[in-house]
Amino acid sequence: MPIDLYPKEALLTAVRTARKPIAFLVGSPLSTDSGGGVPGVAPVIELVRDEIRARAGSELPRFEDAIQGKFSGDAYQAAMKWLQGNFTQDAVNQVVRAAVLLARKDGTAADFDCDGAVCDWHLPAGTQQLAALVCQDREHFPGPILTTNFDPLLSLAIESFGGRPHLRVIQSDGGLGLDVKRTGEIEVVHLHGFWRDADTLHTPAQLTSARPRLKDSLKEILRQRTLIVAAYGGWDDVFATALAEIVMDEATQVNVLWCFRDANPDEVERNNRRLVDRVQPALTRGRFVAYGGIDCHSIFSEIAGAMPAAAVPVVSAGAARPPIAGWQVIDSALLAALPPLRPEEVVRYFDGAVPTWRHAVSGAIPRRQEVAELGTRIAKVHSAKAACILQLIRAAGGEGKSTLLLQAAADAAHTGDWTVLWRTSPTEGLPPEQVAKLDPSQQWLIVADAAENLVHDLADSASRLDAGQTNVHFLVAARDADWRNAKGDQQPWDEWLTQQPDLILRDISRDDADKIVRAWEKCGPDGLRELAARDSTASRVAALQHAIRDAALDQWQKKRGRNPTDGSFFGGLLAVRFGQKGLQAHVRGFLTRLKDVPAEEGSGNLFDALVYVAACHGTGIPGISEIILADLVGVTRDWIQSRIVRPLGEEAAAVQSAGHVFTRHSKVAAAILIEAEQTFGIDLSEVWTQLIRQTTQTGREPGMRVGPTFSPIVHAGPRLQRALPPQLSEDRRKAIAIAAAEAAKKYQFEWLGCVDSLARTYRNAGDVEAAVCLFRTSLSEARLKVDYNQVIRAYWYEWGVCEGNRGTEREHVLANTWIGGLALSDSLSPAPITSKDIKLICAGLAVVFIKLAQHHFGCPYARGIRAAAYLGRFGGNDPRAIGYFDKSDQHADKLKTPRPKDVAEAITWLTAGVAQAGRELQDSFLAGLAKPSEISFARFRRSLSSRRKP
């Protein structure tokens, strides 16, 4: 079919209304305009001649014959082919380096590290415009930028606009390596190599050779993108072929907007026949759209001008450009221009909405005493011209740390003493090289919430500060557990700056409780809610403090003293302002609103998103991965913050931390699950099935880092029955748990652990026959599973428990004993034996040996009790396990059974007891699992040799 060529105005409209983040593919003309940059073809060929003269000048005539009659790209490829064939790839790389260095400004140093300083290079206008676009509108233009150039000018231009480039170079086989992109970085992918530390591709043979990993690499970085192609001729290279295939892949969902210089469709089709033929299927499907009359030296500035005003970061009138991309200068003028909170917005904040700068400056929002304490600390640092500081605010979620952070930063901005630099999104990083360049004449206060993903950037920035420097300071907040998990506590902060004592929010003072209650009272019944029934401020304050302390105690008991995930402040707030019935009504209200709010640019709605979040948080799982949530509701992953997390935060429904999304509190999550099932008719079995299906599907993507919640979600089945809210009937909780476990076995089919999880879920639900049947029928395929060695012993242990739970008859006890013994035996080698295996299996064996033991000398089961108790203590000093073994020894004492003198004797007794159970068994299937006379525990014995004696 002929190609349709649309005008520039259509391109600008397509970009402005794009429903997916935009990436770029750019070629050499960005670097060859009159503004400087790497030279075009003719100068490069002259550099080839120079290289030939330097190596073997007599060969120059042969070179001239090789390029005779060739022009532009053909001449370039012929020259590089000749150079490679006669002087190897090293000569080619040398010419590329010389060509790139021509973009250096006159008078700059010849020797420099890596790519050197930005100011030493000529940056062409088109290159600068593209860099400005990706740095200043990061939500719509997150990248990556793919380029066939070898030079560093794009990366340098990004640095000049306060951004941090993440350089990736396609390897010879098309792979991108395993380097990790850091928060806020902009990927620059060099498709044909790089000018330093890598080979470069030029010749037809190099460019068309099969690179099998290229397509997978491109799928990874272009997934759910709109790709703008400018100044790229669609060479007959493997990239163009791979791109055509990717566009046809439904799962990748790439739209290509291809820019041509020529405005004549016939000329475009005639000059790009191979490209047009290659993309015909994509043209037919509308995935490839061509635009004509595009000037690559100006198009990116025109795109920036066509974007809606909302896409441009808000800055003060007349303010200078922020020195770091993705960060914003907060000053008194900006704060004064913010619209005041409406009464309903104040109430929504008290209900748990995520705070903003409008809340920070509002007189309706109470200020706790820690705000003044922070203000005092910050003022002292400024007045004393003290060394650079790090001030961390840490707490569990829902303790008010974000409000405290914003209020303290706003106060600092109002003084005029500080230039406050604020991170606009938790996806932004902090480039240390940009921090080092901050204006030394200003006092900088760098402020960031959710700082757990900034630990490495903060450490790098702090380490680059000069000794005695006093003008760069850090004020950050993070969830306590997330900061620890990110190893924030393990950084040597004191080597680089002064670390102020952490401000930890846990309890609330009487004065602060009074301020909060009085603020609620000003909002009337909507502010007080259930507290309105109390007749005095004092009684309301007392009730709030009492509820907060109860919530803190409840969290401590749940976590056994470990860091809580839910804040006691918000837990207390829920208790006194809502109560359970009031909370259900409140949740019902915002779920009703969210039911009709589609996820912008997605296939689901905010209601769906919140139910998925609550399904995890409401059952004890620490949130759901942002990536998996985005995939579940059909939102492009880069837009999960703006399309899902932010609107849910405004509804007091959800928050983000460490790349995961939570509800405001686990009590809120539980209320959401109850309402979803009982009021809105949502089947939580289906919710969990979809949740596990998407989790496993996303987790299979190449290079995907699934995060700490992947395994808890996949293995949720066995715990859901007790973890789901008790307001759901027991039958419903059983059904939901089984559905989740069955989904895990179906979608994570390569894991034997999912078989074990499903069987345990059946057992918990009282269907031991289904569990036994599953174990028996799955055994033949067990060795094919990828996690066989890690879980096979636990698999056999659980199998034995299920066989034993079929009834009280001796046959079932013998089955439990036999299979439990085999779980520790050499028949499962080479599977390792862990401390958990030792404790769990020996405790189980002790129980069944007790049921079989008789009161006569030499009873193998009585000695089995002693052996299991003795050997089980090698599993570690676990008080609960030790308690089991103590009780087992007491039973053995009653039977007058001697104690084993050492490990060898205990192993002998264990072997005899297990073998006897195998001999007595009547079940032919179980009896055929192994020969009792051949049972051995040599591996178990060896594993004990390195452990501490009990």
Side-chain angles (χ1 to χ4, degrees):
M1 62 178 290
I3 190 169
D4 291 322
L5 203 63
Y6 294 91
K8 178 176 65 179
E9 291 72 22
L11 172 65
L12 298 180
T13 299
V15 174
R16 185 175 64 251
T17 59
R19 297 174 66 86
K20 297 171 185 169
I22 293 175
F24 301 90
L25 167 60
V26 295
S28 55
L30 285 183
S31 301
T32 60
D33 66 333
S34 58
V38 176
V41 171
V44 172
I45 291 180
E46 190 56 43
L47 289 173
V48 173
R49 292 189 178 102
D50 291 342
E51 186 69 16
I52 295 171
R53 293 187 188 101
R55 289 174 177 264
S58 61
E59 300 295 328
L60 198 56
R62 289 182 52 239
F63 169 76
E64 299 297 347
D65 289 343
I67 65 171
Q68 182 68 34
K70 293 183 172 62
F71 303 96
S72 189
D74 291 338
Y76 175 86
Q77 289 194 11
M80 290 300 186
K81 179 181 178 180
W82 192 95
L83 192 63
Q84 183 189 56
N86 288 272
F87 298 127
T88 75
Q89 182 68 32
D90 291 338
V92 175
N93 293 345
Q94 184 61 34
V95 169
V96 169
R97 178 174 177 82
V100 169
L101 288 174
L102 291 178
R104 298 272 294 172
K105 294 179 180 178
D106 292 340
T108 56
D111 295 326
F112 51 89
D113 294 330
C114 295
D115 299 324
V118 175
C119 60
D120 291 339
W121 295 82
H122 291 288
L123 300 181
T127 301
Q128 293 188 67
Q129 293 164 15
L130 177 55
L133 193 63
V134 298
C135 287
Q136 295 174 4
D137 189 355
R138 296 162 71 82
E139 179 177 343
H140 290 88
F141 305 101
I145 302 174
L146 312 177
T147 180
T148 55
N149 294 340
F150 315 119
D151 60 73
L153 301 186
L154 267 170
S155 295
L156 291 166
I158 289 170
E159 288 182 15
S160 73
F161 283 92
R164 179 165 57 182
H166 177 69
L167 185 71
R168 303 184 79 178
V169 180
I170 295 284
Q171 307 297 322
S172 59
D173 66 348
L176 279 169
L178 298 176
D179 55 326
V180 178
K181 178 184 175 185
R182 292 173 67 172
T183 302
E185 290 182 329
I186 299 167
E187 288 182 293
V188 179
V189 183
H190 289 266
L191 298 168
H192 290 167
F194 195 54
W195 78 292
R196 58 175 174 82
D197 305 324
D199 289 334
T200 51
L201 309 182
H202 309 266
T203 70
Q206 289 176 316
L207 296 174
T208 59
S209 63
R211 293 194 275 171
R213 294 176 58 199
L214 177 60
K215 186 167 65 175
D216 287 340
S217 294
L218 292 174
K219 280 184 178 181
E220 174 193 340
I221 60 181
L222 292 180
R223 186 181 186 276
Q224 293 185 330
R225 287 289 195 274
T226 294
L227 178 67
I228 297 177
V229 182
Y232 172 65
W235 286 7
D236 189 17
D237 65 359
V238 70
F239 169 75
T241 303
L243 181 60
E245 293 182 33
I246 290 169
V247 171
M248 292 300 297
D249 190 329
E250 282 287 351
T252 310
Q253 298 182 339
V254 177
N255 292 318
V256 178
L257 312 181
W258 199 293
C259 301
F260 293 97
R261 176 74 175 182
D262 204 314
N264 186 314
D266 295 333
E267 289 295 318
V268 167
E269 193 161 355
R270 182 166 47 253
N271 296 331
N272 299 275
R273 170 49 52 196
R274 291 184 65 82
L275 171 65
V276 173
D277 290 344
R278 190 182 292 123
V279 300
Q280 275 298 325
L283 280 168
T284 302
R285 293 180 55 240
R287 290 286 183 181
F288 183 101
V289 185
Y291 300 89
I294 307 299
D295 183 351
C296 66
H297 305 312
S298 62
I299 188 59
F300 299 115
S301 64
E302 293 174 296
I303 288 174
M307 294 303 292
V312 179
V314 178
V315 296
S316 306
R321 185 179 74 207
I324 301 178
W327 293 68
Q328 183 178 8
V329 174
I330 305 296
D331 57 24
S332 56
L334 182 147
L335 296 174
L338 295 173
L341 294 174
R342 301 187 302 276
E344 63 271 22
E345 291 177 311
V346 175
V347 171
R348 193 168 293 174
Y349 167 80
F350 293 143
D351 290 343
V354 175
T356 66
W357 288 107
R358 293 173 64 210
H359 297 89
V361 298
S362 173
I365 307 302
R367 288 169 158 252
R368 292 164 63 174
Q369 62 186 17
E370 287 86 358
V371 178
E373 181 179 342
L374 267 182
T376 301
R377 292 186 187 184
I378 292 170
K380 284 183 179 179
V381 169
H382 183 273
S383 61
K385 295 293 187 289
C388 301
I389 69 160
L390 170 67
Q391 175 65 70
L392 172 66
I393 306 167
R394 62 198 301 173
E399 293 287 8
K401 61 185 179 303
S402 296
T403 300
L404 171 59
L405 177 76
L406 289 170
Q407 289 175 333
D411 289 349
H414 278 308
T415 66
D417 294 332
W418 296 93
T419 301
V420 175
L421 200 57
W422 164 251
R423 182 166 73 151
T424 59
S425 165
T427 62
E428 298 294 347
L430 181 65
E433 60 276 11
Q434 299 294 342
V435 173
K437 296 175 184 176
L438 291 174
D439 185 350
S441 67
Q442 299 183 51
Q443 288 289 309
W444 296 91
L445 187 62
I446 298 176
V447 183
D449 202 357
E452 65 280 342
N453 66 355
L454 274 185
V455 168
H456 294 299
D457 282 355
L458 288 168
D460 286 350
S461 298
S463 66
R464 295 191 186 199
L465 297 174
D466 294 332
Q469 191 170 344
T470 63
N471 73 310
V472 178
H473 307 270
F474 305 94
L475 173 62
V476 300
R479 283 188 180 225
D480 195 38
D482 293 337
W483 182 260
R484 293 178 186 275
N485 290 339
K487 297 182 171 55
D489 283 351
Q490 298 178 26
Q491 301 297 324
W493 302 110
D494 289 335
E495 293 182 12
W496 308 315
L497 39 67
T498 300
Q499 185 178 11
Q500 298 276 34
D502 294 348
L503 202 60
I504 302 175
L505 297 180
R506 283 182 181 152
D507 203 350
I508 187 171
S509 69
R510 173 69 171 74
D511 287 344
D512 283 346
D514 184 79
K515 291 178 186 177
I516 291 167
V517 168
R518 291 182 185 278
W520 293 347
E521 290 174 340
K522 290 180 181 179
C523 296
D526 288 341
L528 286 170
R529 298 195 183 273
E530 293 294 313
L531 275 180
R534 295 179 176 267
D535 58 2
S536 70
T537 299
S539 66
R540 294 164 182 164
V541 170
L544 174 60
Q545 284 193 287
H546 183 75
I548 290 172
R549 286 165 186 162
D550 282 351
L553 179 60
D554 180 56
Q555 279 294 304
W556 188 90
Q557 290 174 335
K558 285 181 179 178
K559 297 295 178 179
R560 297 182 183 274
R562 291 181 283 122
N563 291 323
T565 54
D566 287 327
S568 57
F569 173 73
F570 196 71
L573 177 151
L574 292 174
V576 297
R577 292 186 68 238
F578 292 103
Q580 186 59 43
K581 289 184 178 179
L583 180 58
Q584 293 296 148
H586 174 62
V587 165
R588 192 178 311 127
F590 68 62
L591 284 177
T592 301
R593 292 194 298 272
L594 296 176
K595 188 73 175 169
D596 298 322
V597 181
E600 188 178 351
E601 317 295 354
S603 57
N605 56 41
L606 295 183
F607 178 98
D608 300 330
L610 187 56
V611 171
Y612 285 124
V613 174
C616 295
H617 193 189
T619 53
I621 297 171
I624 179 174
S625 163
E626 292 177 333
I627 293 174
I628 292 171
L629 180 60
D631 293 347
L632 279 164
V633 293
V635 170
T636 302
R637 293 169 182 175
D638 289 284
W639 286 350
I640 186 68
Q641 282 289 323
S642 60
R643 305 304 194 253
I644 299 296
V645 178
R646 196 174 300 152
L648 289 180
E650 291 170 356
E651 281 286 350
V655 291
Q656 180 273 353
S657 180
H660 286 71
V661 185
F662 307 75
T663 62
R664 292 296 282 140
H665 195 278
S666 59
K667 290 182 178 179
V668 174
I672 291 170
L673 296 180
I674 296 166
E675 291 299 319
E677 272 245 342
Q678 298 180 350
T679 302
F680 294 92
I682 301 300
D683 186 346
L684 291 180
S685 297
E686 295 179 1
V687 170
W688 267 100
T689 297
Q690 291 304 310
L691 178 58
I692 290 173
R693 179 194 63 79
Q694 189 61 63
T695 298
T696 57
Q697 180 177 318
T698 302
R700 285 195 176 88
E701 293 181 20
M704 176 58 64
R705 292 167 176 81
V706 292
T709 58
F710 181 87
S711 185
I713 288 174
V714 173
H715 289 303
R719 57 188 301 276
L720 281 182
Q721 184 177 330
R722 58 180 170 79
L724 285 162
Q727 290 86 346
L728 301 177
S729 71
E730 185 175 6
D731 285 344
R732 281 301 300 142
R733 285 183 278 124
K734 288 180 180 179
I736 296 166
I738 291 172
E742 289 178 339
K745 179 179 179 292
K746 176 181 179 180
Y747 295 114
Q748 196 69 25
F749 51 84
E750 66 269 45
W751 280 12
L752 182 61
C754 290
V755 177
D756 179 64
S757 289
L758 176 56
R760 282 189 288 134
T761 306
Y762 284 146
R763 176 168 64 85
N764 292 343
D767 193 352
V768 293
E769 293 300 327
V772 168
C773 179
L774 178 63
F775 277 121
R776 294 190 180 205
T777 56
S778 300
L779 184 62
S780 62
E781 299 180 353
R783 286 191 177 273
L784 302 177
K785 305 296 185 179
V786 297
D787 57 343
Y788 173 86
N789 281 338
Q790 289 72 42
V791 304
I792 188 59
R793 295 190 186 276
Y795 174 98
W796 279 67
Y797 168 76
E798 177 62 30
W799 181 11
V801 171
C802 292
E803 293 281 359
N805 283 3
R806 297 177 71 185
T808 58
E809 293 85 355
R810 183 178 178 84
E811 177 73 5
H812 300 312
V813 182
L814 289 169
N816 192 351
T817 308
W818 173 238
I819 299 174
L822 292 178
L824 279 176
S825 74
D826 295 332
S827 62
L828 299 185
S829 293
I833 300 175
T834 67
S835 295
K836 183 178 179 181
D837 292 332
I838 295 172
K839 289 184 292 187
L840 190 65
I841 299 173
C842 285
L845 283 171
V847 170
V848 290
F849 278 139
I850 289 172
K851 294 179 180 179
L852 295 171
Q854 295 178 345
H855 199 298
H856 67 77
F857 180 77
C859 173
Y861 300 128
R863 292 191 174 187
I865 300 171
R866 287 292 197 200
Y870 179 86
L871 297 171
R873 296 177 194 273
F874 280 87
N877 190 23
D878 180 342
R880 185 177 180 185
I882 296 300
Y884 277 116
F885 300 136
D886 286 344
K887 290 180 181 178
S888 300
D889 276 331
Q890 291 170 10
H891 279 283
D893 289 340
K894 293 177 182 178
L895 297 172
K896 299 186 180 339
T897 305
R899 294 176 182 266
K901 61 179 180 293
D902 54 25
V903 168
E905 187 168 48
I907 291 289
T908 299
W909 291 359
L910 176 67
T911 305
V914 172
Q916 181 63 28
R919 283 189 287 268
E920 290 188 46
L921 260 179
Q922 300 301 307
D923 188 304
S924 59
F925 180 85
L926 299 183
L929 294 174
K931 294 181 178 179
S933 60
E934 296 177 0
I935 292 300
S936 63
F937 295 91
R939 187 178 186 89
F940 182 27
R941 181 175 178 176
R942 287 195 301 272
S943 75
L944 300 181
S945 63
S946 61
R947 299 175 184 273
R948 185 179 62 83
K949 291 185 66 174

